[in-house]
């Protein structure tokens, strides 16, 4: 089979997946961007208003608060999930039965329903019967007891532990697979040169799997910017928009306030912000890899 035939065969094989992706991902994004130029309640005629929805977004304090909360989520994911998962992957690198069990246990939240995860953490944070306040009482730190999800000052930060706990297992599996694909001869040669422990990770393993780390960072950013279900289950964006995210604000604007045009404009902004942050992260990580 020559090169031209190989390319045709590959395109023929990819065509069904690309068609489905285009219909259910790309087309809705384009339609959403189109609706962002209209004032529309979801029913009846649409009124073309140009960039009025986007002008309103710029002046909307709730939008900027939602963006700030999303940035907090992105930073928590990138600097929480990725380092923790990488450390766990190094610690649980060997293939003993105990380490396999621990990897499976850490991955377990990934196969659980988000509704269940949200309800579990709601009980953990419950001000009267929650295990967190109970433990603070038990160790003599009653003064630290708080209304974790109803205090506007700390509510968004209370969502970070369940966010990290829910997805760290995914990156653990990704990093474990990347580390296991490093040839053993490289580790043997590094050990002969005196590179052991964290020095081997920093100077040998991490540069080799750096492209995997870049992919994990992209997944963290995109996943954090479209976070919805966990926050909606636990706080619904409250209290007083303290935990509002771009996705929950888009949902409330569209399906609660029936401002489909405005909600579509917000969704378009989410896509643009995602592309900006992912592009910036790729530029920064590429600079690091070139300077290494």
């Amino acid at each position: 089979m020559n090169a031209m035939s190989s390319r045709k065969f590959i395109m023929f094989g990819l065509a069904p997946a690309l068609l489905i992706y285009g219909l259910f991902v790309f087309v809705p994004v384009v339609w959403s961007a189109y609706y962002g130029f209209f004032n529309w309640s979801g029913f009846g005629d649409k009124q073309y208003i140009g960039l009025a929805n986007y002008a309103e977004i710029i002046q909307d304090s709730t939008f900027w608060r939602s963006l700030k909360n999303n940035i907090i989520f992105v930073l928590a994911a990138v600097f929480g999930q990725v380092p923790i998962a990488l450390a766990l992957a190094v610690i649980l690198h060997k293939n003993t039965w105990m380490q396999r069990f621990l990897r499976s246990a850490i991955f377990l939240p990934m196969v659980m329903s988000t509704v269940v995860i949200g309800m579990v953490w709601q009980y953990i944070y419950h001000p009267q019967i929650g295990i967190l306040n109970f433990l603070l009482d038990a160790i003599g730190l009653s003064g630290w007891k708080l209304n974790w999800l109803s205090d506007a000052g700390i509510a968004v930060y209370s969502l970070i532990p369940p966010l990290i706990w829910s997805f760290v297992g995914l990156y653990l599996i990704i990093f474990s697979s990347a580390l296991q694909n490093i040839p053993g001869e490289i580790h043997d040669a590094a050990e002969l040169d005196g590179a052991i422990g964290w020095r081997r990770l920093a100077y040998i393993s991490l540069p080799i799997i750096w492209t995997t780390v870049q992919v994990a960072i992209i997944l963290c950013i995109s996943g954090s910017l479209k976070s919805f279900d966990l926050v909606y289950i636990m706080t619904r964006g409250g209290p007083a928009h303290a935990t509002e995210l771009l996705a929950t604000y888009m949902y409330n604007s569209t399906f609660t306030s029936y401002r489909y045009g405005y909600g579509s404009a917000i969704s378009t902004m989410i896509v643009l912000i995602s592309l900006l942050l992912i592009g910036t992260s790729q530029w920064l990580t590429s600079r690091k890899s070139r300077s290494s």
Side-chain angles (χ1 to χ4, degrees):
M1 184 181 293
N2 56 39
M4 182 63 71
S5 299
S6 298
R7 285 195 291 269
K8 289 182 179 179
F9 179 77
I10 292 172
M11 291 303 300
F12 180 78
L14 291 175
L18 292 175
L19 178 62
I20 294 173
Y21 181 85
L23 287 175
F24 291 99
V25 177
F26 183 73
V27 172
V29 168
V30 173
W31 273 110
S32 182
Y34 170 74
Y35 287 137
F37 296 107
F38 291 87
N39 179 22
W40 186 39
S41 65
F43 306 95
D45 295 332
K46 299 186 291 290
Q47 178 186 1
Y48 179 76
I49 56 175
L51 297 173
N53 283 327
Y54 296 95
E56 183 178 348
I57 285 174
I58 294 174
Q59 300 175 355
D60 189 344
S61 60
T62 305
F63 171 82
W64 292 108
R65 186 165 192 175
S66 303
L67 177 58
K68 175 187 173 183
N69 291 338
N70 256 126
I71 296 299
I72 292 172
F73 265 44
V74 168
L75 294 175
V78 173
F79 296 104
Q81 292 171 359
V82 173
I84 292 174
L86 184 58
L88 289 172
V90 173
I91 294 170
L92 304 176
H93 179 56
K94 294 182 179 179
N95 209 27
T96 65
W97 70 269
M98 177 58 73
Q99 295 192 358
R100 289 197 301 269
F101 171 78
L102 291 174
R103 286 198 298 265
S104 300
I106 295 170
F107 185 76
L108 183 62
M110 285 299 303
V111 299
M112 294 174 60
S113 167
T114 307
V115 176
V116 173
I117 293 174
M119 293 178 66
V120 167
W121 280 90
Q122 275 184 322
Y123 280 113
I124 291 174
Y125 284 136
H126 196 282
Q128 279 80 43
I129 63 173
I131 189 173
L132 180 55
N133 281 346
F134 172 79
L135 290 175
L136 291 174
D137 257 338
I139 61 177
L141 296 175
S142 300
W144 290 20
K145 292 169 58 177
L146 296 169
N147 294 323
W148 300 98
L149 296 178
S150 57
D151 186 335
I154 63 169
V156 68
Y157 302 104
S158 298
L159 295 173
I160 291 175
L163 172 73
I164 294 176
W165 181 76
S166 299
F167 294 100
V168 73
L170 170 64
Y171 302 110
L172 167 62
I173 299 302
I174 291 174
F175 292 144
S176 294
S177 300
L179 290 172
Q180 289 174 2
N181 284 331
I182 299 176
E185 295 81 1
I186 294 179
H187 290 309
D188 295 337
E191 189 171 351
L192 290 174
D193 290 335
I196 58 175
W198 291 104
R199 292 183 61 188
R200 184 173 68 182
L201 173 64
Y203 295 107
I204 305 298
S205 301
L206 192 56
I208 292 175
I209 67 168
W210 186 247
T211 53
T212 304
V213 175
Q214 288 179 297
V215 171
I217 291 173
I218 292 174
L219 292 175
C220 279
I221 294 173
S222 60
S224 300
L225 284 173
K226 63 182 182 182
S227 293
F228 171 80
D229 39 10
L230 186 65
V231 175
Y232 191 77
I233 292 297
M234 294 184 67
T235 65
R236 282 179 166 76
H241 302 293
T243 60
E244 196 81 79
L245 301 179
L246 292 174
T248 59
Y249 188 44
M250 176 197 68
Y251 177 87
N252 290 328
S253 298
T254 305
F255 300 107
T256 303
S257 302
Y258 295 102
R259 299 189 63 192
Y260 279 69
Y262 191 66
S264 297
I266 294 173
S267 69
T268 303
M269 292 298 293
I270 294 174
V271 174
L272 295 177
I273 293 169
S274 299
L275 293 174
L276 176 63
L277 290 179
I278 290 172
T280 302
S281 71
Q282 285 294 95
W283 178 69
L284 290 174
T285 54
S286 296
R287 282 189 60 189
K288 176 177 175 58
S289 62
R290 286 196 299 267
S291 62
S292 299

